Amino acid sequence: MDIQGLSSAQKYAASRPATAPEPGTGGAGNMAANLARDFATTLQDTEATAKAAMTGQADPHALVQALAQTELAVETAVTVRDRVVEAYQEILRMPV
């Protein structure tokens, strides 16, 4: 009998519950809604920072940081959209 194999199997079985999804998280739909809400919040925060910078109430460095954060959020959203469209097209190509 391989003791190391048995030990690693037991360790895997013990760590398995730690990776299980939390009850009540809502799955992928809830995660997508949270991502959309965070994206909208990022855009609103950047808009508020830009307005404050135009009136001289915000530091220019804060504006640059907010714009960089928004750029990253937009690039991420475009990448996710492209992957979803690609997956949908791949499903359409499957034979029935």
Side-chain angles (χ1 to χ4, degrees), residues 8-96:
S8 60
Q10 289 174 343
K11 288 180 181 178
Y12 176 76
S15 67
R16 183 82 170 132
T19 59
E22 296 178 14
T25 56
N30 194 19
M31 184 177 69
N34 288 339
L35 289 174
R37 190 177 313 112
D38 290 345
F39 179 74
T41 303
T42 300
L43 294 178
Q44 290 172 351
D45 291 346
T46 301
E47 185 177 357
T49 303
K51 286 179 182 177
M54 284 189 265
T55 60
Q57 298 173 351
D59 184 29
H61 297 290
L63 177 62
V64 171
Q65 183 179 7
L67 290 174
Q69 185 177 3
T70 300
E71 182 181 7
L72 181 63
V74 169
E75 288 176 1
T76 303
V78 168
T79 302
V80 168
R81 182 210 56 194
D82 291 345
R83 295 285 173 104
V84 168
V85 168
E86 183 180 322
Y88 178 73
Q89 290 174 343
E90 190 67 29
I91 290 171
L92 289 179
R93 284 188 223 123
M94 289 182 179
V96 179

